[in-house]
Amino acid sequence: MTTLIRIGNSQGIRIPKAIIEQARLGDKQLEFKIIDDGLLIQPVKKNREGWKEQFDKALKAQESSASDQEWLDAPLVDEEDWEW
């Protein structure tokens, strides 16, 4: 349990270390969302965070064909100019 404390002209809360560790909030940027029952505090998620792991998991679940493997192994950056 915690209460609001004065921090300059604002107010804040102290989050106990055990809760920070359990929620895995340490050393992360946080975002706040107003929800029906109060305030939700969660780490900021980067775009595409975890995508590679999800793709790898999906690929292991099914076998890929040769054509699938060709584009999966393609480099992410292509230096050659495209013709339209």
Side-chain angles (χ1 to χ4, degrees):
M1 186 85 180
T2 190
T3 59
L4 289 172
I5 57 171
R6 180 160 296 290
I7 303 173
N9 290 331
S10 301
Q11 292 186 341
I13 61 170
R14 289 188 185 132
I15 303 172
K17 182 179 178 181
I19 292 176
I20 292 172
E21 289 173 353
Q22 188 176 8
R24 290 175 265 163
L25 298 176
D27 298 325
K28 295 187 180 178
Q29 286 189 333
L30 304 175
E31 68 179 355
F32 302 97
K33 291 184 182 180
I34 306 289
I35 58 174
D36 291 338
D37 294 336
L39 179 66
L40 174 65
I41 302 172
Q42 63 186 19
V44 173
K45 294 181 183 170
K46 296 178 184 174
N47 292 337
R48 299 183 189 105
E49 184 175 343
W51 281 22
K52 180 178 180 350
E53 292 79 12
Q54 291 297 323
F55 276 115
D56 290 344
K57 184 178 176 182
L59 290 174
K60 287 180 184 175
Q62 62 182 357
E63 290 190 29
S64 57
S65 67
S67 61
D68 289 337
Q69 199 59 47
E70 180 180 339
W71 71 264
L72 288 170
D73 292 337
L76 296 177
V77 177
D78 191 2
E79 297 296 327
E80 70 182 55
D81 290 332
W82 288 47
E83 290 185 31
W84 298 94

mmCIF file of all heavy atoms in Angstrom, residues 46-75:
data_model
loop_
_atom_site.group_PDB
_atom_site.id
_atom_site.type_symbol
_atom_site.label_atom_id
_atom_site.label_comp_id
_atom_site.label_asym_id
_atom_site.label_seq_id
_atom_site.Cartn_x
_atom_site.Cartn_y
_atom_site.Cartn_z
ATOM 1 N N LYS A 46 8.513 -1.176 -27.298
ATOM 2 C CA LYS A 46 9.073 -0.718 -28.562
ATOM 3 C C LYS A 46 8.303 -1.383 -29.699
ATOM 4 O O LYS A 46 7.842 -2.511 -29.571
ATOM 5 C CB LYS A 46 10.550 -1.080 -28.656
ATOM 6 C CG LYS A 46 11.394 -0.384 -27.611
ATOM 7 C CD LYS A 46 12.831 -0.818 -27.717
ATOM 8 C CE LYS A 46 13.651 -0.196 -26.606
ATOM 9 N NZ LYS A 46 15.009 -0.696 -26.589
ATOM 10 N N ASN A 47 8.206 -0.658 -30.830
ATOM 11 C CA ASN A 47 7.560 -1.236 -32.002
ATOM 12 C C ASN A 47 8.281 -2.507 -32.419
ATOM 13 O O ASN A 47 9.504 -2.555 -32.423
ATOM 14 C CB ASN A 47 7.563 -0.251 -33.173
ATOM 15 C CG ASN A 47 6.682 0.943 -32.908
ATOM 16 O OD1 ASN A 47 5.763 0.877 -32.099
ATOM 17 N ND2 ASN A 47 6.958 2.037 -33.570
ATOM 18 N N ARG A 48 7.529 -3.496 -32.697
ATOM 19 C CA ARG A 48 8.032 -4.799 -33.164
ATOM 20 C C ARG A 48 8.818 -5.553 -32.104
ATOM 21 O O ARG A 48 9.514 -6.515 -32.415
ATOM 22 C CB ARG A 48 8.871 -4.623 -34.430
ATOM 23 C CG ARG A 48 8.095 -4.035 -35.575
ATOM 24 C CD ARG A 48 8.944 -3.953 -36.836
ATOM 25 N NE ARG A 48 8.251 -3.197 -37.834
ATOM 26 C CZ ARG A 48 8.555 -1.950 -38.168
ATOM 27 N NH1 ARG A 48 9.566 -1.348 -37.606
ATOM 28 N NH2 ARG A 48 7.864 -1.322 -39.073
ATOM 29 N N GLU A 49 8.714 -5.144 -30.860
ATOM 30 C CA GLU A 49 9.423 -5.850 -29.787
ATOM 31 C C GLU A 49 8.887 -7.281 -29.682
ATOM 32 O O GLU A 49 7.686 -7.507 -29.607
ATOM 33 C CB GLU A 49 9.217 -5.123 -28.455
ATOM 34 C CG GLU A 49 9.992 -5.733 -27.320
ATOM 35 C CD GLU A 49 9.861 -4.912 -26.035
ATOM 36 O OE1 GLU A 49 9.453 -3.758 -26.094
ATOM 37 O OE2 GLU A 49 10.167 -5.477 -24.987
ATOM 38 N N GLY A 50 9.767 -8.244 -29.727
ATOM 39 C CA GLY A 50 9.377 -9.637 -29.596
ATOM 40 C C GLY A 50 8.947 -10.308 -30.889
ATOM 41 O O GLY A 50 8.625 -11.493 -30.902
ATOM 42 N N TRP A 51 8.942 -9.556 -31.996
ATOM 43 C CA TRP A 51 8.510 -10.147 -33.259
ATOM 44 C C TRP A 51 9.413 -11.288 -33.689
ATOM 45 O O TRP A 51 8.940 -12.333 -34.127
ATOM 46 C CB TRP A 51 8.468 -9.094 -34.364
ATOM 47 C CG TRP A 51 7.269 -8.213 -34.332
ATOM 48 C CD1 TRP A 51 6.460 -7.947 -33.261
ATOM 49 C CD2 TRP A 51 6.736 -7.469 -35.409
ATOM 50 N NE1 TRP A 51 5.482 -7.084 -33.609
ATOM 51 C CE2 TRP A 51 5.620 -6.767 -34.930
ATOM 52 C CE3 TRP A 51 7.096 -7.309 -36.728
ATOM 53 C CZ2 TRP A 51 4.863 -5.936 -35.736
ATOM 54 C CZ3 TRP A 51 6.336 -6.469 -37.531
ATOM 55 C CH2 TRP A 51 5.233 -5.805 -37.041
ATOM 56 N N LYS A 52 10.731 -11.100 -33.599
ATOM 57 C CA LYS A 52 11.665 -12.135 -34.057
ATOM 58 C C LYS A 52 11.432 -13.429 -33.293
ATOM 59 O O LYS A 52 11.379 -14.509 -33.900
ATOM 60 C CB LYS A 52 13.108 -11.681 -33.904
ATOM 61 C CG LYS A 52 14.094 -12.747 -34.388
ATOM 62 C CD LYS A 52 15.509 -12.285 -34.295
ATOM 63 C CE LYS A 52 16.535 -13.279 -34.766
ATOM 64 N NZ LYS A 52 16.157 -14.624 -35.055
ATOM 65 N N GLU A 53 11.257 -13.331 -31.994
ATOM 66 C CA GLU A 53 11.024 -14.525 -31.183
ATOM 67 C C GLU A 53 9.723 -15.220 -31.600
ATOM 68 O O GLU A 53 9.661 -16.445 -31.685
ATOM 69 C CB GLU A 53 10.976 -14.168 -29.699
ATOM 70 C CG GLU A 53 12.298 -13.706 -29.118
ATOM 71 C CD GLU A 53 12.639 -12.260 -29.438
ATOM 72 O OE1 GLU A 53 11.754 -11.501 -29.925
ATOM 73 O OE2 GLU A 53 13.800 -11.881 -29.211
ATOM 74 N N GLN A 54 8.692 -14.421 -31.893
ATOM 75 C CA GLN A 54 7.425 -15.008 -32.320
ATOM 76 C C GLN A 54 7.546 -15.667 -33.694
ATOM 77 O O GLN A 54 6.988 -16.741 -33.919
ATOM 78 C CB GLN A 54 6.322 -13.936 -32.343
ATOM 79 C CG GLN A 54 5.935 -13.448 -30.971
ATOM 80 C CD GLN A 54 5.351 -14.558 -30.113
ATOM 81 O OE1 GLN A 54 4.628 -15.432 -30.588
ATOM 82 N NE2 GLN A 54 5.672 -14.531 -28.833
ATOM 83 N N PHE A 55 8.272 -15.038 -34.611
ATOM 84 C CA PHE A 55 8.484 -15.638 -35.926
ATOM 85 C C PHE A 55 9.278 -16.940 -35.797
ATOM 86 O O PHE A 55 8.943 -17.953 -36.426
ATOM 87 C CB PHE A 55 9.227 -14.680 -36.870
ATOM 88 C CG PHE A 55 8.335 -13.695 -37.555
ATOM 89 C CD1 PHE A 55 8.469 -12.352 -37.298
ATOM 90 C CD2 PHE A 55 7.361 -14.103 -38.453
ATOM 91 C CE1 PHE A 55 7.648 -11.427 -37.918
ATOM 92 C CE2 PHE A 55 6.542 -13.201 -39.080
ATOM 93 C CZ PHE A 55 6.678 -11.849 -38.814
ATOM 94 N N ASP A 56 10.352 -16.913 -34.990
ATOM 95 C CA ASP A 56 11.152 -18.122 -34.795
ATOM 96 C C ASP A 56 10.316 -19.250 -34.209
ATOM 97 O O ASP A 56 10.425 -20.403 -34.630
ATOM 98 C CB ASP A 56 12.346 -17.830 -33.888
ATOM 99 C CG ASP A 56 13.384 -16.944 -34.559
ATOM 100 O OD1 ASP A 56 13.337 -16.799 -35.804
ATOM 101 O OD2 ASP A 56 14.230 -16.391 -33.830
ATOM 102 N N LYS A 57 9.463 -18.915 -33.264
ATOM 103 C CA LYS A 57 8.593 -19.910 -32.642
ATOM 104 C C LYS A 57 7.614 -20.496 -33.667
ATOM 105 O O LYS A 57 7.405 -21.702 -33.725
ATOM 106 C CB LYS A 57 7.827 -19.254 -31.495
ATOM 107 C CG LYS A 57 6.967 -20.187 -30.706
ATOM 108 C CD LYS A 57 6.292 -19.437 -29.561
ATOM 109 C CE LYS A 57 5.342 -20.319 -28.795
ATOM 110 N NZ LYS A 57 4.652 -19.574 -27.718
ATOM 111 N N ALA A 58 7.044 -19.626 -34.510
ATOM 112 C CA ALA A 58 6.103 -20.085 -35.539
ATOM 113 C C ALA A 58 6.808 -20.969 -36.561
ATOM 114 O O ALA A 58 6.251 -21.971 -37.013
ATOM 115 C CB ALA A 58 5.443 -18.895 -36.220
ATOM 116 N N LEU A 59 8.039 -20.592 -36.937
ATOM 117 C CA LEU A 59 8.777 -21.383 -37.924
ATOM 118 C C LEU A 59 9.138 -22.756 -37.386
ATOM 119 O O LEU A 59 9.128 -23.741 -38.129
ATOM 120 C CB LEU A 59 10.035 -20.641 -38.366
ATOM 121 C CG LEU A 59 9.801 -19.409 -39.228
ATOM 122 C CD1 LEU A 59 11.105 -18.680 -39.484
ATOM 123 C CD2 LEU A 59 9.134 -19.792 -40.544
ATOM 124 N N LYS A 60 9.459 -22.826 -36.106
ATOM 125 C CA LYS A 60 9.776 -24.126 -35.512
ATOM 126 C C LYS A 60 8.543 -25.022 -35.431
ATOM 127 O O LYS A 60 8.656 -26.240 -35.488
ATOM 128 C CB LYS A 60 10.379 -23.938 -34.124
ATOM 129 C CG LYS A 60 11.794 -23.412 -34.162
ATOM 130 C CD LYS A 60 12.360 -23.242 -32.778
ATOM 131 C CE LYS A 60 13.746 -22.623 -32.854
ATOM 132 N NZ LYS A 60 14.296 -22.330 -31.540
ATOM 133 N N ALA A 61 7.375 -24.413 -35.333
ATOM 134 C CA ALA A 61 6.141 -25.181 -35.219
ATOM 135 C C ALA A 61 5.754 -25.829 -36.547
ATOM 136 O O ALA A 61 5.028 -26.812 -36.565
ATOM 137 C CB ALA A 61 5.007 -24.288 -34.729
ATOM 138 N N GLN A 62 6.226 -25.271 -37.660
ATOM 139 C CA GLN A 62 5.915 -25.869 -38.963
ATOM 140 C C GLN A 62 7.144 -25.813 -39.851
ATOM 141 O O GLN A 62 7.968 -24.929 -39.718
ATOM 142 C CB GLN A 62 4.755 -25.134 -39.626
ATOM 143 C CG GLN A 62 5.033 -23.680 -39.913
ATOM 144 C CD GLN A 62 3.836 -22.991 -40.536
ATOM 145 O OE1 GLN A 62 2.837 -23.617 -40.799
ATOM 146 N NE2 GLN A 62 3.938 -21.707 -40.764
ATOM 147 N N GLU A 63 7.239 -26.738 -40.745
ATOM 148 C CA GLU A 63 8.375 -26.763 -41.647
ATOM 149 C C GLU A 63 8.149 -25.769 -42.777
ATOM 150 O O GLU A 63 7.051 -25.610 -43.268
ATOM 151 C CB GLU A 63 8.562 -28.164 -42.222
ATOM 152 C CG GLU A 63 9.035 -29.156 -41.180
ATOM 153 C CD GLU A 63 9.438 -30.475 -41.797
ATOM 154 O OE1 GLU A 63 9.878 -30.484 -42.957
ATOM 155 O OE2 GLU A 63 9.308 -31.478 -41.117
ATOM 156 N N SER A 64 9.203 -25.079 -43.179
ATOM 157 C CA SER A 64 9.082 -24.108 -44.263
ATOM 158 C C SER A 64 9.585 -24.723 -45.561
ATOM 159 O O SER A 64 10.489 -25.557 -45.565
ATOM 160 C CB SER A 64 9.868 -22.839 -43.933
ATOM 161 O OG SER A 64 11.217 -23.154 -43.683
ATOM 162 N N SER A 65 8.986 -24.265 -46.667
ATOM 163 C CA SER A 65 9.411 -24.752 -47.978
ATOM 164 C C SER A 65 10.665 -23.990 -48.406
ATOM 165 O O SER A 65 11.089 -23.038 -47.773
ATOM 166 C CB SER A 65 8.289 -24.537 -48.996
ATOM 167 O OG SER A 65 8.097 -23.152 -49.205
ATOM 168 N N ALA A 66 11.240 -24.413 -49.530
ATOM 169 C CA ALA A 66 12.459 -23.758 -50.032
ATOM 170 C C ALA A 66 12.187 -22.296 -50.360
ATOM 171 O O ALA A 66 13.016 -21.423 -50.097
ATOM 172 C CB ALA A 66 12.979 -24.492 -51.257
ATOM 173 N N SER A 67 11.007 -21.995 -50.932
ATOM 174 C CA SER A 67 10.701 -20.604 -51.280
ATOM 175 C C SER A 67 10.508 -19.759 -50.012
ATOM 176 O O SER A 67 10.874 -18.581 -49.988
ATOM 177 C CB SER A 67 9.455 -20.518 -52.163
ATOM 178 O OG SER A 67 8.328 -21.040 -51.488
ATOM 179 N N ASP A 68 9.941 -20.341 -48.965
ATOM 180 C CA ASP A 68 9.818 -19.628 -47.690
ATOM 181 C C ASP A 68 11.195 -19.316 -47.132
ATOM 182 O O ASP A 68 11.451 -18.208 -46.677
ATOM 183 C CB ASP A 68 9.044 -20.452 -46.661
ATOM 184 C CG ASP A 68 7.578 -20.573 -46.976
ATOM 185 O OD1 ASP A 68 7.053 -19.706 -47.698
ATOM 186 O OD2 ASP A 68 6.951 -21.525 -46.477
ATOM 187 N N GLN A 69 12.082 -20.290 -47.165
ATOM 188 C CA GLN A 69 13.404 -20.123 -46.592
ATOM 189 C C GLN A 69 14.208 -19.067 -47.342
ATOM 190 O O GLN A 69 14.986 -18.331 -46.748
ATOM 191 C CB GLN A 69 14.150 -21.459 -46.591
ATOM 192 C CG GLN A 69 15.299 -21.487 -45.636
ATOM 193 C CD GLN A 69 14.868 -21.231 -44.190
ATOM 194 O OE1 GLN A 69 13.909 -21.813 -43.706
ATOM 195 N NE2 GLN A 69 15.564 -20.338 -43.526
ATOM 196 N N GLU A 70 13.962 -18.950 -48.673
ATOM 197 C CA GLU A 70 14.690 -17.967 -49.482
ATOM 198 C C GLU A 70 14.426 -16.545 -48.975
ATOM 199 O O GLU A 70 15.341 -15.760 -48.782
ATOM 200 C CB GLU A 70 14.269 -18.086 -50.942
ATOM 201 C CG GLU A 70 14.976 -17.118 -51.864
ATOM 202 C CD GLU A 70 14.523 -17.268 -53.319
ATOM 203 O OE1 GLU A 70 13.983 -18.331 -53.682
ATOM 204 O OE2 GLU A 70 14.725 -16.310 -54.072
ATOM 205 N N TRP A 71 13.174 -16.176 -48.747
ATOM 206 C CA TRP A 71 12.901 -14.808 -48.279
ATOM 207 C C TRP A 71 13.196 -14.647 -46.798
ATOM 208 O O TRP A 71 13.512 -13.550 -46.337
ATOM 209 C CB TRP A 71 11.492 -14.331 -48.634
ATOM 210 C CG TRP A 71 10.356 -14.959 -47.897
ATOM 211 C CD1 TRP A 71 9.598 -16.007 -48.302
ATOM 212 C CD2 TRP A 71 9.839 -14.563 -46.623
ATOM 213 N NE1 TRP A 71 8.655 -16.305 -47.361
ATOM 214 C CE2 TRP A 71 8.769 -15.433 -46.317
ATOM 215 C CE3 TRP A 71 10.161 -13.576 -45.701
ATOM 216 C CZ2 TRP A 71 8.042 -15.336 -45.142
ATOM 217 C CZ3 TRP A 71 9.432 -13.485 -44.536
ATOM 218 C CH2 TRP A 71 8.375 -14.351 -44.274
ATOM 219 N N LEU A 72 13.138 -15.734 -46.040
ATOM 220 C CA LEU A 72 13.477 -15.636 -44.623
ATOM 221 C C LEU A 72 14.964 -15.384 -44.410
ATOM 222 O O LEU A 72 15.365 -14.723 -43.452
ATOM 223 C CB LEU A 72 13.056 -16.904 -43.880
ATOM 224 C CG LEU A 72 11.552 -17.077 -43.678
ATOM 225 C CD1 LEU A 72 11.249 -18.477 -43.165
ATOM 226 C CD2 LEU A 72 11.014 -16.033 -42.718
ATOM 227 N N ASP A 73 15.794 -15.898 -45.317
ATOM 228 C CA ASP A 73 17.237 -15.721 -45.228
ATOM 229 C C ASP A 73 17.727 -14.464 -45.935
ATOM 230 O O ASP A 73 18.912 -14.143 -45.868
ATOM 231 C CB ASP A 73 17.960 -16.940 -45.813
ATOM 232 C CG ASP A 73 17.754 -18.187 -44.956
ATOM 233 O OD1 ASP A 73 17.456 -18.032 -43.755
ATOM 234 O OD2 ASP A 73 17.886 -19.296 -45.492
ATOM 235 N N ALA A 74 16.833 -13.737 -46.609
ATOM 236 C CA ALA A 74 17.225 -12.544 -47.358
ATOM 237 C C ALA A 74 17.734 -11.463 -46.407
ATOM 238 O O ALA A 74 17.254 -11.350 -45.280
ATOM 239 C CB ALA A 74 16.035 -12.023 -48.161
ATOM 240 N N PRO A 75 18.706 -10.678 -46.845
ATOM 241 C CA PRO A 75 19.214 -9.593 -45.979
ATOM 242 C C PRO A 75 18.124 -8.545 -45.757
ATOM 243 O O PRO A 75 17.271 -8.332 -46.614
ATOM 244 C CB PRO A 75 20.389 -9.020 -46.771
ATOM 245 C CG PRO A 75 20.141 -9.414 -48.183
ATOM 246 C CD PRO A 75 19.379 -10.714 -48.138
#
